[in-house]
Amino acid sequence: MYALIINGQNITVGEDKKLIAVLRNDCKLKSVKDGCSEGACGTCTILADGKTVKACVQKVSKFQGKSIVTVEGLSEREREVYVYAFGEAGAVQCGFCIPGMVMCAKGLLDQNLNPTRKEIAAAIRNNICRCTGYKKIIDAVELAAKLFREDIRDLKAKTISGVGQRVPRIDTAEKVLGYGEYVDDMEVDGLIYGSAVRSAYPRARVVSIDCSEALALDGVRAVITAADIPGNNKVGHLKKDWDTLIPAGGITRYLGDAICLVGADTPEIVEQAKALVKIEYEELPGVFSPEEALRPGAPSIHESGNILAHEHLIRGDAKGAIENSAHVVTRKYKTPFTEHAFLEPECAIAIVDREKRKAVIYSSDQGTYDTQKECSEVLGFEKADVHVINKLVGGGFGGKEDMSVQHHAALLSWHTGCPVKVKLTRKESILVHPKRHPAEMEFTTACDEEGRLTGMKAVLVTDTGAYASLGGPVLQRACTHAAGPYNYQNIDIEGTAVYTNNPPAGAFRGFGVTQSCFAIECNLNLLAELVGISPWEIRYRNAIRPGQELPNGQIAAPGTALVTTVEAVKEIYENHPRAGIACALKNAGVGVGLPDFGRCRLTVEEEKVHIRAGASCIGQGLGTVLVQIACETTGLTGDRIIYDAAETNYAPDAGTTSGSRQTLVTGEAVRRACLELVKDLQEASLKELAGREYMGEYLAATDPMGSKKKNPVSHVAYGYATQVALLNEDGTVEKIIAVHDVGKAINPVSVEGQIEGGVIMSLGYALTEDFPLDKGKPTAKFGTLGLFKADKTPDVESVIVEANEDPLAYGAVGIGEITSIPTAPAVQNAYYRMDGEFRTTLPLAHTPYSRKK
Ligand code: FES
Ligand code: FES
């Protein structure tokens, strides 16, 4: 027996298990999040006798007699202060790291009510936040210290009243205090657990699967193979090439392939049973790079061969333009796989009624309707009979687009008749979900004697791993943006996405543009050198201006403010000896003629307006944005507007949260629905409108790829940016200045949070992050991915430029992705200016951040 005091209560524990299990499972203290179970992320941080401790590391015997405090144990005053401070600072995004951060803050402020920013950063240095870049978390702790120190009371958050307002997010309190539910926090009667047995080899024939011993184990409810799937085995949002389970006789394509599923009463029994499943394999040679996969005679990973997608974009006469140019530069570049490292591992709970053919799936994903479609096909149900409900989503960044656990939970529930939870371990998460594509690129860029760009030619090859995921569209965006945000029209861009036996690659913040932007921006600096002008000057001369034609033929909109972003950094760039610069553009919305709908349903209930849209908030703050748009349009205040999380029964399909699209497309749908409500509000009060419903829809209509129009509209909007990286004399990063043309900032504090988080994520891409593979096997753990920590993170100065008069969503253009695009080339340019070494591979070599291989 072990005796502890938990949040002031005496607790005895019989079994010597991990402290996190006692806190989460026995005491139901769900603020203690399990982000990795391996001591590497900090989401489980609690205080033990006043010291911060990771609850997932040690067993309860180590805490005998100690006083444990979790967020649930904070005093009323502390709760009020932390909610106010984190809200006011804009420190909350997906929220999964936040209770752990609050405990770090308490640990510090209980000792020191006047900490420096450096001391705050040191206090949170063992806790990873993938969303915020830490700046606003440090702001929040600094503010909390002031509120305690000066005993400032009456802390009331501002009421939301419209767009452009710096206002705390609507989900602040539930995330700071840890009562907001992620899927893993749900308590469901009769819940059992499930997990997949995954392939022992990246490529092997599954000769036989023997589940008999596993099935015989006490507490095991089901062990199922592909033969037990009632519907389709194949999933995939666009191309259905991904096996839910590899059947006996089938061939595996990567180490993350699931071969059978085990459902049992406890997670421990699941693991025991998995070890009892006997799978006989015939190991086959695999291919682990596009080069190997494209060799004559290479084994085919899919029946269609090893090429997933091929793009060839031609406008004007690139060859002629390059031949006749004063200056030409050709370079090869290479970028790596990147892991999303969202803090909440994939988790789903499914409750399936096989007789009634109905399913409910609680999911952490980027598109409830995608999950509904995929799971209904696997179960063989009608789509409408699968109700998908988004719980809080602890980050996505593109990595929660595909099926990972939802279909497995649904199948196990179909077979057992029980509610089933499937949660990936951090190791599985790192192995299973699609990564950012590694790319090999050869770029030729040409300009005239004044440095005006004349033409470019590019060849890109991406490793799309074992399955298609969104590898086709990612390649397409890499190609369509490869010429950069500049005014020239001779392009020849060829891209190929190649299957290999590596983990799949798919969507990742930047969607392919992170890769091609690195190449074009680095080439531009070499051209500037040949011309004899500065990297700033070449960008200023070529930056796309309103009314000019982008390289893809689209006319730049009147609100295009790239030049303003370039001008904003002139002084600092030109006067700092170790400054690097890069520009970028990024589409908002799916574009290229594909269906791209934003939709919402407004209902008036008890004098409040509910917003329901099937658009996932994955941490970016969509709910707050939609409430602000509703307030602006109706004149109602935020206390009258309720945002309900995405689900598929009542909230209309608004597509996936991807491509920086939701603020624009669903924001516009909400504006449109609100305009209808406004008409009725002129005649009646909200009380009198009880039960009324208003549907909003917006189709972002665009022209398809290959359109014959002279000036096709490929995307309804583009965001633009210029970023500057400044280095200290010792080569460490002093600061990143990120100037973003966002059209209109619906909530400036949220926009800054997106910029700061996106920049730091890509600073990792530039300098520290890698995802090494050994014959398809990831060798990194969460703790060795190279994620930036708070005490090593430089300052990010975000500057918002607003010049869009377009009424669509009040002029907002998505900000989620572009924040991550120009950072790496800006940093590359800074090192080149500092030491003359022109680096062409990420992460950049020979910097103070370089890791010994
Ligand atoms: S869950 Fe404990 S450190 Fe990650
Ligand atoms: S808010 Fe920190 S990980 Fe999402």
Side-chain angles (χ1 to χ4, degrees), residues 43 91-98 101 128-134 137 175 182 341-344 393-395 397 618-619:
T43 58
V92 175
Q93 291 191 29
C94 85
F96 205 77
C97 72
I98 296 296
M101 294 289 185
I128 300 292
C129 176
R130 192 62 160 159
C131 299
T132 65
Y134 306 106
I137 293 179
K175 289 178 171 174
Y182 300 83
F342 37 72
L343 269 287
E344 178 211 20
V393 181
F397 315 115
I618 58 172

Side-chain angles (χ1 to χ4, degrees), residues 13 131 183 205 210 336 341 348 418 487 499 518 533 544 573 646 654 719 721 766 790 797 822:
V13 182
C131 299
V183 179
R205 187 179 305 282
D210 178 359
C418 301
N487 177 33
Y499 285 121
F518 179 61
I533 57 176
I544 195 81
Y573 180 78
E797 182 184 330

Side-chain angles (χ1 to χ4, degrees), residues 22-311:
V22 174
L23 298 174
R24 281 185 62 82
N25 304 340
D26 302 346
C27 303
K28 310 296 179 203
L29 298 170
K30 304 291 180 149
S31 75
V32 185
K33 306 294 180 200
D34 183 4
C36 71
S37 308
E38 54 192 42
C41 75
T43 58
C44 63
T45 303
I46 50 97
L47 292 181
D49 283 351
K51 294 210 162 44
T52 50
V53 170
K54 289 172 180 168
C56 72
V57 181
Q58 287 175 345
K59 291 194 170 169
V60 78
S61 53
K62 296 275 181 214
F63 299 93
Q64 171 78 7
K66 289 198 194 281
S67 173
I68 307 294
V69 179
T70 70
V71 164
E72 288 86 348
L74 297 179
S75 68
E76 267 313 304
R77 169 71 175 149
E78 287 170 323
R79 294 157 79 88
E80 182 193 28
V81 164
Y82 285 118
V83 169
Y84 180 85
F86 275 68
E88 203 54 26
V92 175
Q93 291 191 29
C94 85
F96 205 77
C97 72
I98 296 296
M101 294 289 185
V102 170
M103 294 322 291
C104 292
K106 178 174 164 57
L108 174 69
L109 300 189
D110 281 353
Q111 303 299 320
N112 174 6
L113 269 187
N114 204 0
T116 61
R117 290 183 72 83
K118 213 170 162 187
E119 285 168 333
I120 298 170
I124 61 170
R125 72 183 183 283
N126 293 321
N127 291 44
I128 300 292
C129 176
R130 192 62 160 159
C131 299
T132 65
Y134 306 106
K135 183 173 179 178
K136 293 203 183 305
I137 293 179
I138 296 172
D139 292 346
V141 180
E142 211 175 20
L143 176 58
K146 178 182 157 82
L147 299 174
F148 285 128
R149 202 170 59 234
E150 298 177 12
D151 197 24
I152 298 170
R153 304 270 163 170
D154 289 333
L155 304 175
K156 268 191 82 170
K158 284 181 219 101
T159 305
I160 298 179
S161 61
V163 306
Q165 196 190 9
R166 291 180 77 89
V167 72
R169 287 170 52 140
I170 57 173
D171 49 2
T172 303
E174 61 177 329
K175 289 178 171 174
V176 171
L177 300 179
Y179 64 81
E181 273 190 346
Y182 300 83
V183 179
D184 194 31
D185 299 332
M186 292 175 68
E187 291 288 321
V188 179
D189 283 345
L191 186 71
I192 68 164
Y193 303 84
S195 180
V197 177
R198 300 190 187 273
S199 179
Y201 302 97
R203 187 163 178 271
R205 187 179 305 282
V206 177
V207 178
S208 64
I209 311 165
D210 178 359
C211 308
S212 53
E213 268 188 59
L215 264 172
L217 189 70
D218 246 12
V220 170
R221 303 291 189 105
V223 183
I224 61 176
T225 66
D228 303 312
I229 295 176
N232 289 343
N233 185 23
K234 296 276 185 189
V235 293
H237 290 347
L238 300 173
K239 185 165 180 180
K240 297 212 168 293
D241 65 353
W242 199 330
D243 291 80
T244 299
L245 295 170
I246 301 287
I251 294 176
T252 66
R253 301 183 183 88
Y254 85 120
L255 283 164
D257 274 327
I259 294 172
C260 69
L261 300 173
V262 175
D265 291 347
T266 68
E268 293 74 22
I269 300 172
V270 170
E271 290 311 311
Q272 286 170 29
K274 279 168 66 176
L276 295 174
V277 174
K278 293 196 174 61
I279 301 170
E280 195 188 332
Y281 298 94
E282 178 197 345
E283 192 181 355
L284 299 169
V287 288
F288 301 103
S289 68
E291 196 191 342
E292 286 175 29
L294 293 175
R295 259 183 215 144
S300 277
I301 296 162
H302 291 274
E303 271 175 23
S304 55
N306 290 346
I307 293 181
L308 165 67
H310 183 253
E311 293 284 342

Side-chain angles (χ1 to χ4, degrees), residues 484-604:
Y486 303 114
N487 177 33
Y488 67 119
Q489 288 79 33
N490 297 307
I491 61 167
D492 182 334
I493 302 162
E494 192 171 0
T496 311
V498 184
Y499 285 121
T500 65
N501 293 112
N502 290 325
F508 194 130
R509 198 176 205 170
F511 216 80
V513 187
T514 341
Q515 294 91 318
S516 56
C517 177
F518 179 61
I520 180 72
E521 289 298 305
C522 290
N523 260 14
L524 222 57
N525 299 331
L526 295 179
L527 279 181
E529 213 169 86
L530 294 175
V531 176
I533 57 176
S534 80
W536 183 88
E537 187 65 39
I538 198 167
R539 286 172 174 81
Y540 183 71
R541 287 185 190 178
N542 288 286
I544 195 81
R545 286 148 167 93
Q548 290 179 342
E549 204 175 301
L550 282 160
N552 66 3
Q554 182 160 341
I555 301 293
T560 301
L562 175 63
V563 170
T564 312
T565 70
V566 177
E567 285 169 342
V569 300
K570 180 176 184 187
E571 207 181 317
I572 183 77
Y573 180 78
E574 298 288 25
N575 293 317
H576 194 294
R578 296 172 301 279
I581 187 171
C583 295
L585 85 165
K586 180 68 182 64
N587 60 293
V590 177
V592 294
L594 296 167
D596 195 4
F597 285 97
R599 294 192 186 96
C600 74
R601 177 199 305 268
L602 304 187
T603 53
V604 184

